[in-house]
Amino acid sequence: MVSSSTSAETRFRQDSGILSTGGLLVLALATLTAGWFFADGLDALLVAWQLPEYSHGPLIPVLSALMFLRELKAFPAQPGPKSDRWPGVAVLILAFVVGALGKLARIDDIVAYATIIWVAGILLVSFGWNTGKHFWPPVVHLVYMLPLPGVLYYKLSTWLQMVSSELGVWILKLLSVPVFLEGNIIDLGVMRLHVAEACSGLRYLFPILSFSYIFAVLYRGPKWHKAVLLISAVPITVFMNSVRIAVAGLIANYYGVEWLEGFTHFFEGWVIFLACIVILFGLARLMLFFHPGKPSLADALDLEMSGMMAQLGRLRLVRPSAAMITAAGLGLIAVLAWQAVPDTRNIAPERSPFANFPRQLGDWRQAGPEERLTPQVARTLGADDYRQATFQNQISSAPVGLFMAFYNDQSKGGVHSPEICLPSSGWEIAKLERVDIAPRLGVDGEFPLNRAIIQKGEARMMVYYWFQQGNRRVAWDFAAKFYLLADGIRTGQTDGGIVRLTTPMARGESEAEAEARLLDMTRGVIQPLPRFMPED
């Protein structure tokens, strides 16, 4: 009888071991096939993590894994079949669909975003809906390792530059330092400091946001405390970046700009980063002071980390469930299906270079040689071809400036909106509206563009600009990115560009008079434009 019982127990352990090994193999297969399919997104992450503002990226998966193991301790092991794994399969299908769209459009960042959806899905498949849904904090935290979409990055960077510059100049004035701000250029009289993109605060805004997220998760106070801690990371970073700019202004004013290079600049950034962390802790301590019972910060933070690594042993409980086998099958099908998709790589369209653009457009004749951008501005622009020139006619004394840029492939960057570039160079956008000038041009269909009035001191200019996406003229930069995604998926074409016309406005000149020049010049530009910005 004992022998029979022992034999049964032995068979049970053997069967459990076989199931455990099979479950791990299926999970490994699901992970490998997904990694193969999402490889473009993972490569994009590795490239982004080499940039200073995303250099914290490699730490995010590690921290998320530790958060997951910490959360897992709260849920006892529940071996055996589960009937609530299939919602995870639906999430996995969504991940592969989003990833496929990103691969078709050749926008690798979208593939990276889809990878996080896959992580959420595989957790739901592994633990079932009732348990897996509680692991959303570590999954959401993975978002902090992703690069921002280009249009959002440049808008956020420009806003941070402007706000930080204004606050930094305000601090300098409080310290009786003579200073003047022009866009994001700080004029100290004897020298001018440009608040570069690297000093916008993004370099440590993203890691501080990640830290504040973890801090809020570990914090055991009221939910509104958690919300304050999470949201406060942005204003704290902006303010301390302003302090950084003010310190840089002081150093440059008294010791010279050369002191801002090398170790001093690096050390200054780390000091500001640590100061932001200290302020975040101080804010939490302040809120706890007004909390009933006045708990200490150590009591309010759940820092219990013991036993987390033991949770890794629960991998042996993974069973080759139907949902897990389906997850592996989905990855395998996605990889094989993608091999059958025809190559839709963007082929640079046949076009004439801007060097051949006419130097006379109707009554407008190019005045002087073509203007070239500085190497730094040209690198930031990142265009494959551009042209900048000034045109004049015999009727009007005021010239019109023409700027055109073309990109063979916008999936890795693309056009920068003048809404970003103009304020950075010191111009204030006094008025901006999107208008359809087709009726006034006498052309069929729509001709939407942006019409802006910009000013710098007493100087004023009127600006026309639009984004050219194939045969579309688009005014809104977000819409241009949407059409880029749609065209990339539909045809694989991701080329496009921007056209900008500017004219100075004399004192007392009406908007109608200035706009008449831009309209007349636009008529001349759009005639030869398809040869240089293909519409097919």
Side-chain angles (χ1 to χ4, degrees):
M1 189 73 175
V2 173
S3 175
S4 176
S5 175
T6 303
S7 175
E9 182 178 350
T10 300
R11 285 197 303 271
F12 174 78
R13 289 178 178 176
Q14 291 175 344
D15 293 343
S16 296
I18 294 173
L19 286 174
S20 176
T21 302
L24 289 176
L25 288 175
V26 175
L27 176 60
L29 179 61
T31 303
L32 288 174
T33 54
W36 192 349
F37 184 78
F38 296 116
D40 294 339
L42 300 178
D43 289 341
L45 287 180
L46 295 177
V47 172
W49 290 349
Q50 298 177 37
L51 301 175
E53 53 269 33
Y54 299 118
S55 58
H56 66 288
L59 289 175
I60 299 300
V62 176
L63 294 174
S64 289
L66 292 176
M67 290 174 63
F68 165 68
L69 293 175
R70 176 183 170 277
E71 295 284 339
L72 189 58
K73 291 194 303 179
F75 299 92
Q78 298 176 345
K82 293 183 177 65
S83 60
D84 58 348
R85 300 182 191 270
W86 293 102
V89 174
V91 175
L92 291 177
I93 293 173
L94 174 63
F96 284 116
V97 169
V98 173
L101 293 177
K103 290 166 75 71
L104 286 171
R106 293 183 307 106
I107 301 179
D108 295 339
D109 289 351
I110 295 179
V111 183
Y113 305 156
T115 305
I116 296 182
I117 302 176
W118 182 89
V119 171
I122 203 66
L123 287 177
L124 292 174
V125 169
S126 299
F127 295 92
W129 173 262
N130 290 330
T131 300
K133 67 182 180 181
H134 296 286
F135 300 140
W136 65 265
V139 174
V140 172
H141 182 252
L142 290 173
V143 171
Y144 292 101
M145 73 178 179
L146 299 174
L148 284 177
V151 64
L152 287 180
Y153 172 88
Y154 287 109
K155 284 183 180 292
L156 179 59
S157 179
T158 301
W159 178 80
L160 286 174
Q161 287 179 31
M162 298 302 297
V163 174
S164 298
S165 298
E166 291 177 1
L167 287 176
V169 166
W170 177 75
I171 294 173
L172 287 172
K173 289 181 178 179
L174 287 180
L175 298 175
S176 301
V177 176
V179 63
F180 175 74
L181 180 65
E182 183 179 289
N184 59 357
I185 299 174
I186 298 176
D187 191 341
L188 295 168
V190 295
M191 66 185 69
R192 290 160 64 89
L193 297 177
H194 183 264
V195 182
E197 183 176 309
C199 294
S200 66
L202 289 177
R203 181 168 294 180
Y204 38 83
L205 172 61
F206 294 144
I208 288 175
L209 283 172
S210 170
F211 181 88
S212 68
Y213 180 87
I214 296 175
F215 193 83
V217 170
L218 298 179
Y219 186 81
R220 292 187 290 193
K223 289 184 179 179
W224 72 269
H225 282 202
K226 292 175 176 283
V228 169
L229 291 172
L230 188 60
I231 296 172
S232 63
V234 175
I236 288 174
T237 304
V238 171
F239 175 74
M240 291 309 300
N241 193 52
S242 303
V243 173
R244 178 187 185 186
I245 292 172
V247 171
L250 284 172
I251 292 175
N253 189 55
Y254 290 106
Y255 300 102
V257 70
E258 62 275 4
W259 280 75
L260 299 179
E261 303 299 328
F263 174 76
T264 302
H265 192 79
F266 173 83
F267 178 75
E268 180 188 359
W270 273 103
V271 168
I272 297 300
F273 173 78
L274 294 176
C276 291
I277 300 300
V278 171
I279 292 175
L280 196 63
F281 273 95
L283 177 62
R285 185 67 190 89
L286 179 63
M287 290 190 298
L288 288 173
F289 180 79
F290 295 99
H291 189 269
K294 293 183 174 57
S296 67
L297 186 57
D299 294 333
L301 290 176
D302 184 4
L303 299 178
E304 176 58 43
M305 309 295 283
S306 63
M308 288 196 309
M309 300 311 295
Q311 301 301 319
L312 285 175
R314 291 174 60 175
L315 286 175
R316 61 184 176 80
L317 299 178
V318 175
R319 296 292 185 267
S321 64
M324 182 64 74
I325 294 173
T326 302
L330 284 174
L332 188 59
I333 291 171
V335 169
L336 295 176
W338 183 252
Q339 305 306 312
V341 174
D343 189 359
T344 58
R345 288 179 299 172
N346 182 64
I347 301 174
E350 294 185 6
R351 55 177 296 272
S352 182
F354 284 135
N356 299 330
F357 198 81
R359 283 157 173 76
Q360 181 158 356
L361 303 169
D363 295 330
W364 295 90
R365 180 183 296 273
Q366 182 174 320
E370 178 185 352
E371 303 161 18
R372 303 305 296 174
L373 301 174
T374 65
Q376 180 180 357
V377 174
R379 283 194 301 271
T380 302
L381 178 68
D384 293 293
D385 191 14
Y386 77 88
R387 183 173 184 82
Q388 180 169 266
T390 300
F391 285 76
Q392 191 88 45
N393 71 9
Q394 297 178 347
I395 300 175
S396 172
S397 59
V400 171
L402 171 63
F403 174 80
M404 300 176 292
F406 185 80
Y407 298 80
N408 293 326
D409 180 10
Q410 299 182 88
S411 63
K412 303 295 186 288
V415 178
H416 297 174
S417 172
E419 292 180 53
I420 298 170
C421 304
L422 291 173
S424 298
S425 57
W427 288 95
E428 177 186 354
I429 299 179
K431 183 180 180 181
L432 176 63
E433 55 186 344
R434 296 182 178 92
V435 297
D436 181 8
I437 63 171
R440 281 175 286 178
L441 286 180
V443 298
D444 297 330
E446 297 181 343
F447 199 124
L449 54 71
N450 296 281
R451 178 177 60 196
I453 303 294
I454 61 176
Q455 59 187 38
K456 181 192 294 185
E458 295 184 355
R460 292 195 308 155
M461 299 182 73
M462 178 173 283
V463 183
Y464 270 5
Y465 71 91
W466 70 90
F467 306 100
Q468 192 76 33
Q469 298 282 143
N471 60 359
R472 302 186 194 92
R473 301 180 183 96
V474 186
W476 191 27
D477 49 1
F478 282 98
K481 295 301 180 183
F482 171 79
Y483 288 125
L484 169 66
L485 174 63
D487 289 343
I489 294 172
R490 183 172 56 88
T491 65
Q493 292 299 116
T494 56
D495 56 88
I498 185 174
V499 179
R500 186 186 72 197
L501 302 169
T502 59
T503 186
M505 300 177 66
R507 183 186 297 272
E509 183 180 27
S510 68
E511 293 184 12
E513 292 173 306
E515 188 168 16
R517 292 193 295 274
L518 295 183
L519 282 169
D520 192 37
M521 181 67 177
T522 302
R523 290 190 187 93
V525 169
I526 62 176
Q527 294 300 321
L529 190 62
R531 288 195 290 123
F532 304 90
M533 291 189 177
E535 296 184 356
D536 296 331

